[in-house]
Amino acid sequence: MNTCHIKYCGKDEKGIDRYWCLTHKDVASDEDGYPLKECLCKYKEIYDNKIKIEPKNVDSIKVVYKNVLEEIKPVIYLNQKEENYALEIKDSILDFKDIGGLMISKLNSIKLIPSFCSYCGKAHTDDGVFAYTPHAKHLCQYCGYFYNVEKANIGNEFSLFFDVPDINLEEGKAEIEDTLCLEYDVFKGTLLTNGKNVNKVKVKGKIIYLKAYLNELFKDEY
């Protein structure tokens, strides 16, 4: 497994020291500002064998969350082949959180604006709650520093390389019991719930609106 490369990256608004892992793009300090021996990234294993891809050679990207009631780590299909590693596209490294962020942005019809860190110059991707909430202060996943943009926006590095359409859910509902499977086709802009394009799910007699449910489910994935 790739070892953490932990770096000091300044203080937060309360004056507490911050440390960042350059290997796994995640926090590497505790609540009191002390550095950790390993960062908090949940998906370290996907960085062991990054898949380097050229946008011109990619015909399809499909993401399957087998059951988001249990786990929101997906299976990625690149050109119909299963690839469960981070995707390296030019200078960008995109992981499960970034793909989930893209899905949530497009579910909310967000126009993705390219944003580049003023410290390291790398492109920025917004995940979790930030994937559907425009903001002017961004945390760079590559160097760990915060930087500001003139106008609040949302970014995702996929938009630098691919034309990604919005997701349009159709009126209807899917009834589920123990499994809620999502199938997201990035290039087609389709999101299927248990094989159906619907905007609602019915769970134990209760109707849940899918967009609001997924916004809440993915809000802490950043």
Side-chain angles (χ1 to χ4, degrees):
M1 179 179 291
N2 288 327
T3 57
C4 292
H5 180 188
I6 296 173
K7 168 194 171 185
Y8 176 71
C9 54
K11 298 180 180 294
D12 65 14
E13 295 174 346
K14 297 180 180 179
I16 298 175
D17 289 333
R18 299 178 60 255
Y19 290 83
W20 192 259
C21 178
L22 303 182
T23 304
H24 304 114
K25 298 166 55 180
D26 217 327
V27 176
S29 51
D30 63 19
E31 294 179 354
D32 296 318
Y34 292 102
L36 302 172
K37 291 183 179 180
E38 290 189 3
C39 72
L40 301 178
C41 179
K42 295 187 294 184
Y43 306 132
K44 292 177 184 177
E45 75 278 3
I46 73 168
Y47 291 89
D48 288 346
N49 295 290
K50 297 186 292 291
I51 302 298
K52 191 168 185 177
I53 61 176
E54 287 290 337
K56 64 181 181 181
N57 297 329
V58 179
D59 297 319
S60 67
I61 300 175
K62 187 175 181 181
V63 186
V64 178
Y65 296 86
K66 294 184 177 180
N67 187 4
V68 295
L69 300 178
E70 297 180 352
E71 183 181 46
I72 53 177
K73 179 180 176 181
V75 176
I76 302 168
Y77 294 90
L78 183 67
N79 293 343
Q80 287 81 50
K81 180 183 177 183
E82 184 175 334
E83 301 283 7
N84 285 311
Y85 299 104
L87 304 180
E88 184 176 0
I89 312 174
K90 299 187 184 302
D91 293 329
S92 295
I93 298 174
L94 297 153
D95 61 20
F96 295 145
K97 293 185 297 182
D98 302 326
I99 293 173
L102 177 69
M103 181 180 73
I104 295 301
S105 290
K106 289 304 170 181
L107 184 60
N108 287 273
S109 301
I110 298 294
K111 182 179 180 181
L112 300 173
I113 306 295
S115 178
F116 296 88
C117 175
S118 57
Y119 288 91
C120 70
K122 290 210 171 186
H124 180 69
T125 287
D126 285 303
D127 303 322
V129 66
F130 301 107
Y132 57 89
T133 308
H135 49 290
K137 184 176 182 179
H138 295 275
L139 169 63
C140 177
Q141 299 102 321
Y142 291 100
C143 71
Y145 280 97
F146 286 103
Y147 69 96
N148 294 306
V149 294
E150 185 173 338
K151 186 177 180 181
N153 62 23
I154 293 172
N156 191 294
E157 292 161 86
F158 271 99
S159 67
L160 297 174
F161 311 111
F162 305 111
D163 183 15
V164 183
D166 290 343
I167 297 172
N168 295 307
L169 300 179
E170 297 179 358
E171 182 68 32
K173 69 176 184 290
E175 297 197 23
I176 66 171
E177 294 182 2
D178 301 321
T179 302
L180 202 169
C181 176
L182 300 177
E183 297 179 38
Y184 174 40
D185 190 310
V186 174
F187 293 167
K188 292 181 180 179
T190 57
L191 178 62
L192 303 181
T193 303
N194 290 10
K196 299 178 180 179
N197 183 0
V198 294
N199 67 341
K200 298 183 291 290
V201 294
K202 186 176 182 180
V203 186
K204 298 179 180 179
K206 181 181 179 181
I207 298 295
I208 297 173
Y209 284 86
L210 195 61
K211 183 171 77 170
Y213 173 76
L214 294 180
N215 284 349
E216 179 68 18
L217 183 67
F218 281 81
K219 71 176 184 178
D220 295 322
E221 286 290 295
Y222 55 83

